[in-house]
Amino acid sequence: KAGVTQTPRYLIKTRGQQVTLSCSPISGHRSVSWYQQTPGQGLQFLFEYFSETQRNKGNFPGRFSGRQFSNSRSEMNVSTLELGDSALYLCASSLLGAENQPQHFGDGTRLSIL
Amino acid sequence: GENVEQHPSTLSVQEGDSAVIKCTYSDSASNYFPWYKQELGKGPQLIIDIRSNVGEKKDQRIAVTLNKTAKHFSLHITETQPEDSAVYFCAASRTVPSGANSKLTFGKGITLSVRP
């Protein structure tokens, strides 16, 4: 079974630009969560999507947004990029259940802002 | 909100020895505690998890224990091998009434080095 696939693996952008990252979940998984990983702040939750709806959101500015498609694939978008947005962006997928289900991560997209 | 603390920040052990990594959490409503291993250039890999209705769980050389009263949980790795060298993260989450997967709150991570 293929794991979580994130594209692209690496991105270099300049301040003020916008970027879109893509995530394909494990087949059959319908919940997709996004996390930002930096050396200073560690792993921080961005948002979670299920059935094309954002159901949970972390404490990030409105420049960070996302969406989910009917096939469960998800994208996140960051507008007006800032130097501090340089990070590893991780996507995790899980089954939907009554209780918290294990989240499985992709290898991330490394975003560098110049 | 939830706060997860992980200590120590680095740990070095001799191959074959055991390693223990401890985490504490603040939210008494947290009920799910996964552990992840992250190797260089890779995303976090789930290695074991435990729910609050269980005190201990084991999977080959890896075990996790949970003390709800003290609000701490620990990862135990026995017979360590060089390939166990990585960054290990603990996390905690609570069930959300809406049925959504609750966000994971992570510790800062610990770098485990296994000396051959």
Side-chain angles (χ1 to χ4, degrees), chain A residues 31-52:
Chain A
S31 171
V32 173
S33 298
W34 289 88
Y35 293 82
Q36 181 195 65
Q37 185 176 27
T38 59
Q41 298 299 317
L43 281 146
Q44 292 186 291
F45 174 77
L46 281 156
F47 28 64
E48 186 237 358
Y49 285 88
F50 170 74
S51 194
E52 303 178 63

Side-chain angles (χ1 to χ4, degrees), chain B residues 39 48 50 73 108:
Chain B
E39 296 173 321
I48 196 167
I50 192 168
F73 56 113
K108 291 292 187 187

Side-chain angles (χ1 to χ4, degrees), chain A residues 9 31 35 37 40-41 43 45 48 55-56 90 94-96 99-103 105-107, chain B residues 31-32 36 38 41-44 46 49 51 89 93-95 99-104 106 108:
Chain A
R9 288 296 313 277
S31 171
Y35 293 82
Q37 185 176 27
Q41 298 299 317
L43 281 146
F45 174 77
E48 186 237 358
R55 301 191 306 176
N56 208 347
L90 293 158
S94 62
L95 291 167
L96 178 67
E99 296 182 344
N100 285 312
Q101 294 297 312
Q103 295 186 36
F105 284 83
D107 287 335
Chain B
N31 57 5
Y32 176 65
Y36 287 87
Q38 187 172 27
K42 300 278 192 181
L46 178 67
D49 57 8
R51 298 185 186 277
F89 292 94
S93 69
R94 59 189 294 184
T95 302
N101 263 334
S102 180
K103 67 173 186 177
L104 290 171
F106 284 87
K108 291 292 187 187

Side-chain angles (χ1 to χ4, degrees), chain B residues 13-99:
Chain B
V13 299
Q14 192 70 38
E15 181 178 359
D17 287 351
S18 295
V20 181
I21 304 168
K22 298 178 182 178
C23 282
T24 59
Y25 62 98
S26 61
D27 186 354
S28 57
S30 288
N31 57 5
Y32 176 65
F33 307 92
W35 285 89
Y36 287 87
K37 173 185 181 183
Q38 187 172 27
E39 296 173 321
L40 204 59
K42 300 278 192 181
Q45 176 193 3
L46 178 67
I47 56 172
I48 196 167
D49 57 8
I50 192 168
R51 298 185 186 277
S52 58
N53 58 348
V54 175
E56 183 174 358
K57 184 176 178 181
K58 211 172 179 181
D59 183 5
Q60 299 182 351
R61 296 187 297 110
I62 293 173
V64 56
T65 57
L66 172 65
N67 184 325
K68 286 187 294 183
T69 303
K71 289 192 279 188
H72 69 70
F73 56 113
S74 299
L75 177 71
H76 305 252
I77 306 174
T78 59
E79 301 172 18
T80 53
Q81 301 164 4
E83 50 265 39
D84 293 329
S85 296
V87 179
Y88 289 81
F89 292 94
C90 60
S93 69
R94 59 189 294 184
T95 302
V96 177
S98 68

